[in-house]
mmCIF file of all heavy atoms in Angstrom:
data_model
loop_
_atom_site.group_PDB
_atom_site.id
_atom_site.type_symbol
_atom_site.label_atom_id
_atom_site.label_comp_id
_atom_site.label_asym_id
_atom_site.label_seq_id
_atom_site.Cartn_x
_atom_site.Cartn_y
_atom_site.Cartn_z
ATOM 1 N N VAL A 1 160.375 -95.800 -88.798
ATOM 2 C CA VAL A 1 161.114 -96.906 -88.425
ATOM 3 C C VAL A 1 161.087 -97.986 -89.423
ATOM 4 O O VAL A 1 159.881 -98.423 -89.852
ATOM 5 C CB VAL A 1 160.544 -97.465 -87.047
ATOM 6 C CG1 VAL A 1 161.479 -98.636 -86.640
ATOM 7 C CG2 VAL A 1 160.678 -96.298 -86.060
ATOM 8 N N GLU A 2 162.082 -98.514 -89.997
ATOM 9 C CA GLU A 2 162.142 -99.627 -91.038
ATOM 10 C C GLU A 2 162.776 -100.781 -90.367
ATOM 11 O O GLU A 2 163.898 -100.726 -89.961
ATOM 12 C CB GLU A 2 162.831 -99.126 -92.289
ATOM 13 C CG GLU A 2 162.128 -98.101 -92.936
ATOM 14 C CD GLU A 2 162.734 -97.802 -94.375
ATOM 15 O OE1 GLU A 2 163.841 -98.311 -94.622
ATOM 16 O OE2 GLU A 2 162.183 -97.033 -95.216
ATOM 17 N N LEU A 3 162.155 -101.984 -90.391
ATOM 18 C CA LEU A 3 162.567 -103.163 -89.779
ATOM 19 C C LEU A 3 162.469 -104.235 -90.867
ATOM 20 O O LEU A 3 161.654 -104.982 -91.057
ATOM 21 C CB LEU A 3 161.523 -103.457 -88.691
ATOM 22 C CG LEU A 3 161.366 -102.463 -87.579
ATOM 23 C CD1 LEU A 3 160.184 -102.732 -86.682
ATOM 24 C CD2 LEU A 3 162.629 -102.272 -86.831
ATOM 25 N N PRO A 4 163.713 -104.402 -91.645
ATOM 26 C CA PRO A 4 163.799 -105.393 -92.548
ATOM 27 C C PRO A 4 163.665 -106.840 -92.085
ATOM 28 O O PRO A 4 164.162 -107.120 -90.940
ATOM 29 C CB PRO A 4 165.256 -105.246 -93.095
ATOM 30 C CG PRO A 4 165.639 -103.854 -92.725
ATOM 31 C CD PRO A 4 164.979 -103.577 -91.375
ATOM 32 N N GLY A 5 162.854 -107.631 -92.766
ATOM 33 C CA GLY A 5 162.663 -108.939 -92.473
ATOM 34 C C GLY A 5 161.650 -109.212 -91.304
ATOM 35 O O GLY A 5 161.210 -110.479 -91.174
ATOM 36 N N LEU A 6 161.167 -108.231 -90.734
ATOM 37 C CA LEU A 6 160.061 -108.419 -89.634
ATOM 38 C C LEU A 6 158.770 -108.402 -90.290
ATOM 39 O O LEU A 6 158.295 -107.378 -90.786
ATOM 40 C CB LEU A 6 160.116 -107.284 -88.625
ATOM 41 C CG LEU A 6 159.132 -107.411 -87.410
ATOM 42 C CD1 LEU A 6 159.533 -108.650 -86.493
ATOM 43 C CD2 LEU A 6 159.145 -105.971 -86.643
ATOM 44 N N GLN A 7 158.065 -109.562 -90.257
ATOM 45 C CA GLN A 7 156.874 -109.732 -91.017
ATOM 46 C C GLN A 7 155.595 -109.625 -90.143
ATOM 47 O O GLN A 7 154.460 -109.547 -90.575
ATOM 48 C CB GLN A 7 156.792 -111.142 -91.635
ATOM 49 C CG GLN A 7 157.908 -111.325 -92.562
ATOM 50 C CD GLN A 7 158.027 -110.330 -93.778
ATOM 51 O OE1 GLN A 7 156.949 -109.964 -94.341
ATOM 52 N NE2 GLN A 7 159.170 -109.920 -94.032
ATOM 53 N N GLU A 8 155.777 -109.535 -88.741
ATOM 54 C CA GLU A 8 154.653 -109.423 -87.974
ATOM 55 C C GLU A 8 154.556 -107.987 -87.333
ATOM 56 O O GLU A 8 155.318 -107.667 -86.273
ATOM 57 C CB GLU A 8 154.680 -110.460 -86.737
ATOM 58 C CG GLU A 8 154.268 -111.881 -87.186
ATOM 59 C CD GLU A 8 152.832 -111.960 -87.697
ATOM 60 O OE1 GLU A 8 151.982 -111.048 -87.343
ATOM 61 O OE2 GLU A 8 152.588 -112.764 -88.607
ATOM 62 N N PRO A 9 153.773 -107.075 -87.873
ATOM 63 C CA PRO A 9 153.771 -105.674 -87.308
ATOM 64 C C PRO A 9 153.319 -105.675 -85.858
ATOM 65 O O PRO A 9 153.561 -104.757 -85.119
ATOM 66 C CB PRO A 9 152.736 -105.068 -88.287
ATOM 67 C CG PRO A 9 151.883 -106.114 -88.823
ATOM 68 C CD PRO A 9 152.851 -107.383 -88.840
ATOM 69 N N ALA A 10 152.677 -106.675 -85.432
ATOM 70 C CA ALA A 10 152.151 -106.741 -83.955
ATOM 71 C C ALA A 10 153.369 -106.729 -83.127
ATOM 72 O O ALA A 10 153.278 -106.146 -81.977
ATOM 73 C CB ALA A 10 151.260 -107.917 -83.692
ATOM 74 N N GLU A 11 154.367 -107.405 -83.478
ATOM 75 C CA GLU A 11 155.575 -107.517 -82.634
ATOM 76 C C GLU A 11 156.306 -106.101 -82.515
ATOM 77 O O GLU A 11 156.690 -105.705 -81.409
ATOM 78 C CB GLU A 11 156.607 -108.489 -83.292
ATOM 79 C CG GLU A 11 157.840 -108.682 -82.385
ATOM 80 C CD GLU A 11 158.677 -109.724 -83.089
ATOM 81 O OE1 GLU A 11 158.317 -110.447 -84.030
ATOM 82 O OE2 GLU A 11 159.880 -109.882 -82.645
ATOM 83 N N ALA A 12 156.327 -105.342 -83.550
ATOM 84 C CA ALA A 12 156.903 -104.071 -83.545
ATOM 85 C C ALA A 12 155.981 -103.068 -82.895
ATOM 86 O O ALA A 12 156.455 -102.304 -82.016
ATOM 87 C CB ALA A 12 157.116 -103.524 -85.159
ATOM 88 N N ALA A 13 154.624 -103.156 -83.088
ATOM 89 C CA ALA A 13 153.784 -102.221 -82.446
ATOM 90 C C ALA A 13 153.809 -102.454 -80.873
ATOM 91 O O ALA A 13 153.565 -101.446 -80.090
ATOM 92 C CB ALA A 13 152.461 -102.418 -82.907
ATOM 93 N N LYS A 14 153.969 -103.714 -80.538
ATOM 94 C CA LYS A 14 153.990 -104.090 -79.105
ATOM 95 C C LYS A 14 155.153 -103.351 -78.269
ATOM 96 O O LYS A 14 154.969 -102.844 -77.187
ATOM 97 C CB LYS A 14 154.138 -105.614 -78.950
ATOM 98 C CG LYS A 14 154.098 -106.028 -77.596
ATOM 99 C CD LYS A 14 154.238 -107.541 -77.419
ATOM 100 C CE LYS A 14 154.208 -108.070 -76.020
ATOM 101 N NZ LYS A 14 154.396 -109.565 -75.921
ATOM 102 N N VAL A 15 156.308 -103.070 -78.978
ATOM 103 C CA VAL A 15 157.392 -102.456 -78.442
ATOM 104 C C VAL A 15 157.335 -100.964 -78.698
ATOM 105 O O VAL A 15 157.529 -100.219 -77.757
ATOM 106 C CB VAL A 15 158.671 -103.035 -78.992
ATOM 107 C CG1 VAL A 15 159.930 -102.327 -78.435
ATOM 108 C CG2 VAL A 15 158.820 -104.556 -78.514
ATOM 109 N N LEU A 16 157.078 -100.564 -79.906
ATOM 110 C CA LEU A 16 157.166 -99.106 -80.306
ATOM 111 C C LEU A 16 156.025 -98.330 -79.817
ATOM 112 O O LEU A 16 156.151 -97.175 -79.538
ATOM 113 C CB LEU A 16 157.276 -98.987 -81.828
ATOM 114 C CG LEU A 16 158.475 -99.603 -82.523
ATOM 115 C CD1 LEU A 16 158.400 -99.474 -83.982
ATOM 116 C CD2 LEU A 16 159.778 -99.016 -81.993
ATOM 117 N N GLY A 17 154.861 -99.005 -79.591
ATOM 118 C CA GLY A 17 153.667 -98.397 -79.304
ATOM 119 C C GLY A 17 153.509 -98.019 -77.790
ATOM 120 O O GLY A 17 152.662 -97.326 -77.379
ATOM 121 N N ARG A 18 154.495 -98.484 -76.938
ATOM 122 C CA ARG A 18 154.453 -98.115 -75.495
ATOM 123 C C ARG A 18 154.945 -96.766 -75.364
ATOM 124 O O ARG A 18 156.050 -96.436 -75.625
ATOM 125 C CB ARG A 18 155.373 -99.068 -74.792
ATOM 126 C CG ARG A 18 155.245 -100.613 -75.002
ATOM 127 C CD ARG A 18 154.028 -100.979 -74.185
ATOM 128 N NE ARG A 18 153.864 -102.548 -74.267
ATOM 129 C CZ ARG A 18 153.213 -103.224 -73.476
ATOM 130 N NH1 ARG A 18 152.795 -102.726 -72.404
ATOM 131 N NH2 ARG A 18 153.158 -104.493 -73.680
ATOM 132 N N THR A 19 154.066 -95.897 -74.904
ATOM 133 C CA THR A 19 154.264 -94.460 -75.012
ATOM 134 C C THR A 19 154.557 -93.679 -73.720
ATOM 135 O O THR A 19 155.200 -92.735 -73.697
ATOM 136 C CB THR A 19 153.133 -93.725 -75.712
ATOM 137 O OG1 THR A 19 152.032 -93.916 -74.944
ATOM 138 C CG2 THR A 19 152.935 -94.250 -77.156
ATOM 139 N N ALA A 20 154.029 -94.391 -72.615
ATOM 140 C CA ALA A 20 154.060 -93.667 -71.416
ATOM 141 C C ALA A 20 155.525 -93.793 -70.641
ATOM 142 O O ALA A 20 156.330 -94.631 -71.071
ATOM 143 C CB ALA A 20 153.013 -93.981 -70.414
ATOM 144 N N GLN A 21 155.675 -93.185 -69.605
ATOM 145 C CA GLN A 21 156.939 -93.196 -68.846
ATOM 146 C C GLN A 21 157.054 -94.493 -68.086
ATOM 147 O O GLN A 21 156.011 -95.078 -67.513
ATOM 148 C CB GLN A 21 156.987 -91.986 -67.756
ATOM 149 C CG GLN A 21 158.391 -91.916 -67.187
ATOM 150 C CD GLN A 21 158.399 -90.817 -66.248
ATOM 151 O OE1 GLN A 21 157.453 -90.535 -65.570
ATOM 152 N NE2 GLN A 21 159.587 -90.092 -66.221
ATOM 153 N N LEU A 22 158.295 -95.188 -68.130
ATOM 154 C CA LEU A 22 158.534 -96.353 -67.304
ATOM 155 C C LEU A 22 158.715 -95.874 -65.780
ATOM 156 O O LEU A 22 159.549 -95.190 -65.531
ATOM 157 C CB LEU A 22 159.831 -96.939 -67.933
ATOM 158 C CG LEU A 22 160.351 -98.214 -67.233
ATOM 159 C CD1 LEU A 22 159.376 -99.296 -67.583
ATOM 160 C CD2 LEU A 22 161.748 -98.563 -67.645
ATOM 161 N N THR A 23 158.016 -96.598 -65.087
ATOM 162 C CA THR A 23 157.976 -96.315 -63.679
ATOM 163 C C THR A 23 158.018 -97.603 -62.825
ATOM 164 O O THR A 23 157.506 -98.704 -63.158
ATOM 165 C CB THR A 23 156.731 -95.447 -63.181
ATOM 166 O OG1 THR A 23 155.577 -96.054 -63.738
ATOM 167 C CG2 THR A 23 156.847 -94.095 -63.728
ATOM 168 N N PHE A 24 158.602 -97.562 -61.636
ATOM 169 C CA PHE A 24 158.731 -98.679 -60.609
ATOM 170 C C PHE A 24 157.744 -98.247 -59.351
ATOM 171 O O PHE A 24 158.172 -97.222 -58.743
ATOM 172 C CB PHE A 24 160.085 -98.925 -60.248
ATOM 173 C CG PHE A 24 160.910 -99.411 -61.455
ATOM 174 C CD1 PHE A 24 161.308 -98.450 -62.417
ATOM 175 C CD2 PHE A 24 161.282 -100.794 -61.595
ATOM 176 C CE1 PHE A 24 162.082 -98.966 -63.551
ATOM 177 C CE2 PHE A 24 162.027 -101.185 -62.760
ATOM 178 C CZ PHE A 24 162.421 -100.287 -63.635
ATOM 179 N N HIS A 25 156.883 -99.184 -58.872
ATOM 180 C CA HIS A 25 156.017 -98.821 -57.784
ATOM 181 C C HIS A 25 156.070 -99.881 -56.778
ATOM 182 O O HIS A 25 156.178 -101.121 -57.108
ATOM 183 C CB HIS A 25 154.530 -98.700 -58.282
ATOM 184 C CG HIS A 25 154.393 -97.646 -59.472
ATOM 185 N ND1 HIS A 25 153.782 -96.470 -59.253
ATOM 186 C CD2 HIS A 25 154.712 -97.726 -60.762
ATOM 187 C CE1 HIS A 25 153.746 -95.802 -60.322
ATOM 188 N NE2 HIS A 25 154.252 -96.496 -61.260
ATOM 189 N N PRO A 26 155.778 -99.482 -55.541
ATOM 190 C CA PRO A 26 155.525 -100.542 -54.473
ATOM 191 C C PRO A 26 154.198 -100.999 -54.627
ATOM 192 O O PRO A 26 153.270 -100.389 -55.044
ATOM 193 C CB PRO A 26 155.680 -99.771 -53.183
ATOM 194 C CG PRO A 26 155.322 -98.300 -53.493
ATOM 195 C CD PRO A 26 155.807 -98.218 -55.051
ATOM 196 N N VAL A 27 153.968 -102.352 -54.423
ATOM 197 C CA VAL A 27 152.693 -102.973 -54.453
ATOM 198 C C VAL A 27 152.099 -102.979 -53.119
ATOM 199 O O VAL A 27 152.667 -103.302 -52.047
ATOM 200 C CB VAL A 27 152.771 -104.463 -54.910
ATOM 201 C CG1 VAL A 27 151.349 -105.147 -54.882
ATOM 202 C CG2 VAL A 27 153.391 -104.521 -56.368
ATOM 203 N N LEU A 28 150.811 -102.362 -53.048
ATOM 204 C CA LEU A 28 150.235 -102.131 -51.729
ATOM 205 C C LEU A 28 149.248 -103.312 -51.371
ATOM 206 O O LEU A 28 148.763 -103.511 -50.267
ATOM 207 C CB LEU A 28 149.386 -100.928 -51.730
ATOM 208 C CG LEU A 28 150.211 -99.619 -52.118
ATOM 209 C CD1 LEU A 28 149.230 -98.362 -52.111
ATOM 210 C CD2 LEU A 28 151.385 -99.350 -51.158
ATOM 211 N N GLY A 29 148.987 -104.129 -52.356
ATOM 212 C CA GLY A 29 148.085 -105.298 -52.031
ATOM 213 C C GLY A 29 147.289 -105.676 -53.173
ATOM 214 O O GLY A 29 147.316 -105.208 -54.249
ATOM 215 N N ASP A 30 146.484 -106.845 -52.964
ATOM 216 C CA ASP A 30 145.509 -107.239 -53.988
ATOM 217 C C ASP A 30 144.202 -106.562 -53.983
ATOM 218 O O ASP A 30 143.946 -105.952 -52.983
ATOM 219 C CB ASP A 30 145.405 -108.845 -53.895
ATOM 220 C CG ASP A 30 146.629 -109.585 -54.123
ATOM 221 O OD1 ASP A 30 147.487 -109.154 -54.930
ATOM 222 O OD2 ASP A 30 146.703 -110.737 -53.535
ATOM 223 N N GLY A 31 143.455 -106.817 -54.982
ATOM 224 C CA GLY A 31 142.059 -106.169 -54.851
ATOM 225 C C GLY A 31 142.009 -104.757 -55.211
ATOM 226 O O GLY A 31 142.965 -104.079 -55.527
ATOM 227 N N PRO A 32 140.710 -104.200 -55.216
ATOM 228 C CA PRO A 32 140.459 -102.811 -55.479
ATOM 229 C C PRO A 32 141.144 -101.915 -54.530
ATOM 230 O O PRO A 32 141.528 -102.137 -53.380
ATOM 231 C CB PRO A 32 138.930 -102.662 -55.404
ATOM 232 C CG PRO A 32 138.516 -103.713 -54.559
ATOM 233 C CD PRO A 32 139.452 -105.021 -54.705
ATOM 234 N N ALA A 33 141.467 -100.686 -55.097
ATOM 235 C CA ALA A 33 142.133 -99.600 -54.335
ATOM 236 C C ALA A 33 141.188 -99.191 -53.117
ATOM 237 O O ALA A 33 141.799 -98.945 -52.021
ATOM 238 C CB ALA A 33 142.418 -98.482 -55.167
ATOM 239 N N ALA A 34 139.965 -99.233 -53.228
ATOM 240 C CA ALA A 34 139.097 -98.821 -52.021
ATOM 241 C C ALA A 34 137.737 -99.474 -52.318
ATOM 242 O O ALA A 34 137.044 -99.167 -53.245
ATOM 243 C CB ALA A 34 139.015 -97.295 -51.970
ATOM 244 N N GLY A 35 137.331 -100.350 -51.399
ATOM 245 C CA GLY A 35 136.051 -100.979 -51.548
ATOM 246 C C GLY A 35 134.992 -100.101 -50.945
ATOM 247 O O GLY A 35 135.110 -98.979 -50.452
ATOM 248 N N PRO A 36 133.773 -100.699 -50.957
ATOM 249 C CA PRO A 36 132.613 -99.975 -50.425
ATOM 250 C C PRO A 36 132.796 -99.514 -48.986
ATOM 251 O O PRO A 36 133.086 -100.435 -48.209
ATOM 252 C CB PRO A 36 131.354 -101.007 -50.599
ATOM 253 C CG PRO A 36 131.816 -101.902 -51.630
ATOM 254 C CD PRO A 36 133.305 -101.975 -51.533
ATOM 255 N N GLY A 37 132.659 -98.316 -48.611
ATOM 256 C CA GLY A 37 132.754 -97.904 -47.303
ATOM 257 C C GLY A 37 134.224 -97.676 -46.820
ATOM 258 O O GLY A 37 134.443 -97.290 -45.721
ATOM 259 N N ALA A 38 135.137 -97.908 -47.698
ATOM 260 C CA ALA A 38 136.527 -97.840 -47.325
ATOM 261 C C ALA A 38 137.023 -96.375 -47.407
ATOM 262 O O ALA A 38 136.367 -95.471 -48.071
ATOM 263 C CB ALA A 38 137.459 -98.662 -48.243
ATOM 264 N N ASP A 39 138.082 -96.030 -46.809
ATOM 265 C CA ASP A 39 138.490 -94.668 -47.013
ATOM 266 C C ASP A 39 139.098 -94.403 -48.432
ATOM 267 O O ASP A 39 139.317 -95.319 -49.180
ATOM 268 C CB ASP A 39 139.795 -94.581 -45.958
ATOM 269 C CG ASP A 39 139.352 -94.584 -44.527
ATOM 270 O OD1 ASP A 39 138.319 -94.331 -44.312
ATOM 271 O OD2 ASP A 39 140.321 -94.983 -43.751
#
């Protein structure tokens, strides 16, 4: 990938380095998935 004029490689790596699948999830709540003693 050649990006003329782009002087900050961090900007390119931020976009190009995203490697996993894009997914959309329902949010179940705040906090840890399961606390002490939880299911």
Side-chain angles (χ1 to χ4, degrees):
V1 181
E2 292 187 348
L3 306 170
L6 185 66
Q7 301 302 315
E8 284 299 331
E11 184 178 349
K14 183 179 179 181
V15 176
L16 298 177
R18 307 281 184 158
T19 61
Q21 188 178 38
L22 178 72
T23 51
F24 296 75
H25 303 253
V27 175
L28 305 179
D30 294 331
D39 293 335

